[in-house]
Amino acid sequence: MTAFWAEPDFDAHESVTLVHDRASGLTAIIALHSTHLGPAAGGTRFWHYSDPAGAMRDALRLSRGMSYKNAMAGLPAGGGKAVILADEQRIKTPEMLAAFGDAVDALGGRYITAQDVGISEADMVAIAHRTAHAAGLPGQGGDPGPYTARGVYLGVKAAAARALGTDDLRGVRIAIQGVGSVGGGLARYLAAEGAVLTLADIDQDRAARLAGELGAAVTSADAVLGVEADIVCPCALGAVLTEASIPAITARVVAGGANNQLATGSEGALLRERGILYAPDYVINAGGIINVLRHIDGAGDAEINARIDRIPERLEAVWQESEASGLPANVVADRMAQKLIGRG
Ligand code: NAD
């Protein structure tokens, strides 16, 4: 493994802690990108990396992403991320989770952890037995999906107002890729407003069931980004906006909940060149993290909803700056986030 400060993803991270607990076999990396706005908050990923350098890259890149996301969500939180390096069998023991909880605790509140890929709610409860610095526990707000869906819905309306000249969604053709927790919730909001929906999911039964319920059309997961539509909403995987997929998009707006929609970042320019309004993913999909981090400053339901209600304002600020500067929306969002964390 190269030194982490030689990694291309190293971005003046405040600290990177390598945790090894011989007794339990835990190996983890906890990267704190910024605590400028508050404790560095972000999930813990449990993953088998064939090359450990991949774990370092993930910790560095994802912690910076959390700094940007939390800053643009207006949260009193910085950005951090932990990665637990699983073995090939992905064996996860109570002792490992306890040792990980101790490692989070040893950071004295500079890092607040939460669930991410490979960490269940029960795992978080086990971690929380060893540290008070764990968020999103049962009884503290529950599933983030519905909050994310509401934020994305508000963002879609803001995008419609800007690109189509009205936020009245009656008759507006909207295609959704992935109708799970976020995409399914979004579809319900949009159907209630009279949007004309096309749904796609690799789980075809799931898409067909929801389409039947909402009176929507169904298309294949491969075709959905290119269907005739006014707005497309990627709500499944990341890296779906590529040099190959973007030319097929007929919609004037791309606004969805999936993380890391742009394959490399440079595709933001391609969307802009094609006159497609893009809602930067980490700005529009912040509803879930807004809810998960509610205990950071004791925000109640009304404040959580008010924070989600402000997602359209932030998108609008990004789009205005993008128009004024000629820069792609994703670049503008990153720059705004960097300013907010004192690095502009
Ligand atoms: P989910 O697992 O509930 O739903 C994802 C759906 O996408 C599933 O129905 C799955 O079958 C489908 N899918 C997978 N690959 C697909 C493909 N190639 N084409 C079409 N459909 C496909 O997950 P979710 O919680 O709804 O999250 C969806 C996206 O939103 C993810 O990128 C996630 O990282 C992001 N996100 C989620 C939240 C949240 O609060 N849940 C918050 C922020 C971002």
Side-chain angles (χ1 to χ4, degrees):
M1 204 188 311
T2 37
F4 72 77
W5 52 87
E7 290 279 347
D9 288 307
F10 179 68
D11 177 44
H13 287 65
E14 289 181 16
S15 75
V16 180
T17 306
L18 177 64
V19 182
H20 183 68
D21 179 63
R22 194 181 163 85
S24 65
L26 169 79
T27 304
I29 298 167
I30 304 178
L32 307 189
H33 178 255
S34 167
T35 57
H36 184 77
L37 292 172
T44 293
R45 180 164 288 196
F46 181 87
W47 193 254
H48 171 66
Y49 295 89
S50 47
D51 172 8
M56 181 59 83
R57 273 197 299 277
D58 257 7
L60 293 174
R61 190 175 51 83
L62 296 170
S63 59
R64 179 185 51 205
M66 288 311 301
S67 280
Y68 290 5
K69 182 168 191 159
N70 293 339
M72 288 300 274
L75 291 168
K81 197 88 186 182
V83 173
I84 298 178
L85 285 82
D87 62 14
E88 261 179 78
Q89 288 75 43
R90 293 175 168 72
I91 292 167
K92 193 198 296 162
T93 64
E95 292 75 21
M96 284 168 69
L97 294 172
F100 179 71
D102 290 345
V104 171
D105 205 57
L107 293 169
R110 290 182 64 231
Y111 172 54
I112 296 177
T113 194
Q115 257 180 276
D116 193 57
V117 179
I119 292 288
S120 68
E121 204 174 75
D123 295 338
M124 272 321 291
V125 171
I127 292 165
H129 280 137
R130 308 294 282 227
T131 180
H133 308 299
L137 297 166
Q140 287 184 359
D143 177 12
Y147 295 89
T148 304
R150 196 171 80 84
V152 175
Y153 157 68
L154 296 173
V156 165
K157 275 179 84 72
R162 188 170 187 84
L164 312 176
T166 173
D167 75 349
D168 180 349
L169 298 178
R170 268 174 301 179
V172 175
R173 299 164 307 162
I174 304 182
I176 305 179
Q177 180 184 47
V179 288
S181 178
V182 174
L186 173 65
R188 287 175 203 282
Y189 279 115
L190 298 175
E193 286 217 13
V196 176
L197 298 180
T198 301
L199 311 180
D201 200 296
I202 46 164
D203 180 343
Q204 291 176 0
D205 289 344
R206 182 178 242 183
R209 247 180 287 126
L210 189 63
E213 185 192 325
L214 301 179
V218 180
T219 189
S220 74
D222 294 341
V224 64
L225 290 181
V227 297
E228 284 285 328
D230 303 300
I231 300 175
V232 293
C233 309
C235 293
L237 303 176
V240 292
L241 300 173
T242 65
E243 282 183 14
S245 69
I246 290 171
I249 296 175
T250 65
R252 288 161 64 194
V253 171
V254 175
N259 277 319
N260 304 317
Q261 290 168 38
L262 302 172
T264 66
S266 64
E267 299 79 7
L270 202 52
L271 288 166
R272 196 181 143 69
E273 274 163 30
R274 294 211 52 224
I276 298 170
L277 185 69
Y278 173 63
D281 42 28
Y282 65 83
V283 182
I284 194 172
N285 74 14
I289 194 75
I290 287 172
N291 184 53
V292 165
L293 296 182
R294 61 164 63 217
H295 87 285
I296 275 195
D297 59 351
D301 287 341
E303 176 56 21
I304 295 300
N305 282 326
R307 285 177 184 173
I308 295 173
D309 287 346
R310 288 197 284 273
I311 287 175
E313 277 167 37
R314 296 205 169 79
L315 288 170
E316 189 51 45
V318 168
W319 292 327
Q320 272 176 24
E321 177 58 26
S322 171
E323 193 172 288
S325 65
L327 291 169
N330 61 308
V331 174
V332 169
D334 286 356
R335 289 191 182 182
M336 282 182 169
Q338 282 157 5
K339 273 209 189 96
L340 289 169
I341 64 171
R343 300 189 184 190

